[in-house]
Amino acid sequence: SSWWSHVEMGPPDPILGVTEAYKRDTNSKKMNLGVGAYRDDNGKPYVLNCVRKAEAMIAAKKMDKEYLPIGGLADFTRASAELALGENSEAFKSGRYVTVQGISGTGSLRIGANFLQRFFKASRDVYLPKPSWGNHTPIFRDAGMQLQAYRYYDPKTCSLDFSGAMEDISKIPEKSIILLHACAHNPTGVDPRQEQWKELAATVKKRNLLVYFDMAYQGFASGDINRDAWAVRYFIDQGINIVLSQSFAKNMGLYGERAGAFTVICSDADEAKRVESQLKILIRPMYSNPPVNGARIASLILNTPDLRKEWLTEVKGMADRIISMRTQLVSNLKKEGSSHNWQHITDQIGMFCFTGLKPEQVERLIKEFSVYMTKDGRISVAGVTSGNVGYLAHAIHQVTK
Amino acid sequence: AYRTDEGQPWVLPVVKKVEQMIANDNSLNHEYLPILGLPEFRANASRIALGDDSPAIKENRVGSVQSLGGTGALRIGAEFLRRWYNGNNNTATPIYVSAPSWENHNSVFMDAGFKDIRTYHYWDAAKRGLDLQGLLNDMENAPEFSIFILHACAHNPTGTDPTPEQWKQIAAVMKRRSLFPFFDSAYQGFASGSLDKDAWAVRFFVSEGFELFCAQSFSKNFGLYNERVGNLTVVGKDADNVQRVLSQMEKIVRTTWSNPPSQGARIVATTLSSPQLFDEWYGNVKTMADRVLLMRSELRSRLEALGTPGTWNHITEQIGMFSFTGLNPKQVEYMIKEKHIYLMASGRINMCGLTTKNLDYVAKSIHEAVTKIQ
């Protein structure tokens, strides 16, 4: 008999399931729109030029492989903070922040969640937008927090339910934690406009909520790193001491290298030092210290003017291609003769698009056209190319006309 | 961390070679690894621990989870055990950690949610060796189903390992009392220079039919410290059980780091799956192990030649990176303050810090500390 007889089979990952089914499909026209990774216009993974250059520079330096500090590579964490907060940020310049290297976005979120569980005694409640990234809930739950929700996406308009969000947020108990997607909301692609962010900030301040920003797409959403970080910076300017998780998986294409960061904006540098010491105590029994490769690459890019310039161009290139695919999808749908309003496809931003397709329609797209997406109608625009956007429009039109 | 005779960090030649291969391979990209890690890494890593001819591997009852170093492997294993071992979410299951042990063991299991972390007798300071009787007594008296963290080889910090005969006695008690073996294997190959020898205990437990976990680190034996290369090897009764265990471990990984870093795993997988590179690696490992063994024998012979009071055979009988010298805290303070030789208050020294250039000085200093300070 086994210790594990009673262990249940874990449920299959819904998103991975999409890719598995796609792989088994023999249709030459098949499309994988479940993938959460950028693809170039040939549908291939894209390694940024600035990344290749940084890798060559790193190789030439012949560095050793000694352990990083628990909090990570200092040049990386400093540059990450500056990227998010802006070089003119008072919080950054005064040093009233701590940034630790995390295992990409997930690891950074988890460190933050554990930190809040241990030190934020006012509440166990984390408010997520409805819907949010599927992994947010289990991350916070495993960290020992409870999950609540506020209205966010309006399925009738495929856009932001702003009044619903404001209504819900203004009722959140004081000192609860609210998670906000800094830009390119996952999975809907629906972001608040700047005037809406201002109102959200005012409400959140009035309710005295702890704000947790998840920024996984800085630069990748609009093509402009400053524009994509606007909400984060605005909140801090309003005196809201946020906590922030960053990922370099998408905007630098460093997916498997796991480069990320977790930041706490503090009252002063002394508080930041104390917070840092506690973050290290959390990290050490998780994995001791973080992996160097992705952080070295990201650090070199952010800290080398030429490489940084090249990176900004490349990230804009990726964002522009996505935006162009959105535009082409809409115009192709019109060409197909669709009478539906597809404006939300171009209104939404970032890698993902909530098409508004119903489960039955998604099922038909998969079965009849070999177009794979998640049941909620979410597509990864990164999987669309100029070569297949016509086919996609045709397929969508067939199941919605 | 390992140091050369010049006192420098050492990137293994085979690692440099493989990194160059990886850099030149334009077909490689930075895409996400699967949640459980790089398949070629996982299979090879577990094969290294259990042996090419492992019956468990042949019977398809071995699972692997690529992890962030040995620490990450321990944490994933601990999180799984807290959720699924000895009932559901049983945080009361006692965890036994050797006295002394790597101090992070406590924190890993505490942060995983276990409430009852205890020590088992291990180091006998008086005889400077293993307190086998104390250890066995603790196992006899431990509640059924308790989890024991066992150092596979090169016990950290004492450098004192059970002999094969002693391991057999340990296994017998554990089997009879239904205790769970969780091996921590951070020094395979690095300890004796032989992968098989350093894995003997783990493989013996497998041959005795135990279900067990083994947290492996490739930080030391591949010198890949900052790439965070580790593996949790799971040995179960059969494939079905292992499959279900892995599916639940996948859920734990997903909320901890989603998927593991690729660089280090690629280096290890490439090396272990090529006979030629494997041999080169083995040679590099032996270089490191041999240097440490040489430093041990050189230090011991100097102390004996100086006539330093006490017995010094433990220096060569202990194994791995660390040695519990037997120096007391006052003597340690003398070493640090007067001789500028840095070691832990426990008397633990890192043998890697010894070089042909400083052996004489260190030996003389130990001699002074022992003769001047009681």
Side-chain angles (χ1 to χ4, degrees), chain A residues 55 58 68 101 254 257 291-298, chain B residues 19 30 226-227 262-264:
Chain A
E55 287 178 303
I58 289 166
L68 283 180
Q101 183 180 337
L254 290 174
E257 304 296 339
V292 71
N293 203 41
R296 258 189 194 151
I297 294 169
Chain B
E19 281 191 309
H30 292 291
N226 64 14
E227 303 282 2
S262 80
Q263 180 73 353

Side-chain angles (χ1 to χ4, degrees), chain B residues 126-147:
Chain B
K127 71 171 213 210
R128 267 184 234 153
L130 178 66
D131 178 4
L132 179 68
Q133 209 40 63
L135 194 167
L136 293 174
N137 282 349
D138 285 341
M139 286 185 169
E140 287 289 354
N141 296 320
E144 259 189 324
F145 317 133
S146 295
I147 296 165

Side-chain angles (χ1 to χ4, degrees), chain A residues 49-51 53-54 57 297 300-302 304-312:
Chain A
N49 274 331
C50 63
V51 168
K53 283 189 183 150
M57 285 165 70
I297 294 169
L300 206 51
I301 289 171
L302 292 173
T304 310
D306 282 350
L307 287 182
R308 190 183 176 110
K309 215 161 135 224
E310 188 167 5
W311 171 58
L312 292 174

Side-chain angles (χ1 to χ4, degrees), chain A residues 362-400:
Chain A
V362 171
E363 179 118 19
R364 282 189 64 197
L365 279 174
I366 295 175
K367 290 222 157 66
E368 294 173 36
F369 297 92
S370 298
V371 173
Y372 291 83
M373 63 184 70
T374 45
K375 284 204 173 42
D376 54 8
R378 181 194 88 162
I379 61 170
S380 170
V381 184
V384 182
T385 70
S386 46
N388 63 24
V389 64
Y391 178 71
L392 176 61
H394 173 76
I396 290 177
H397 178 54
Q398 293 308 308
V399 307
T400 55

Side-chain angles (χ1 to χ4, degrees), chain B residues 123-130 160 309-312 314 318 324-326:
Chain B
W123 172 249
D124 185 333
K127 71 171 213 210
R128 267 184 234 153
L130 178 66
T160 299
T311 55
W312 300 101
H314 58 281
Q318 288 165 5
F324 252 26
T325 55

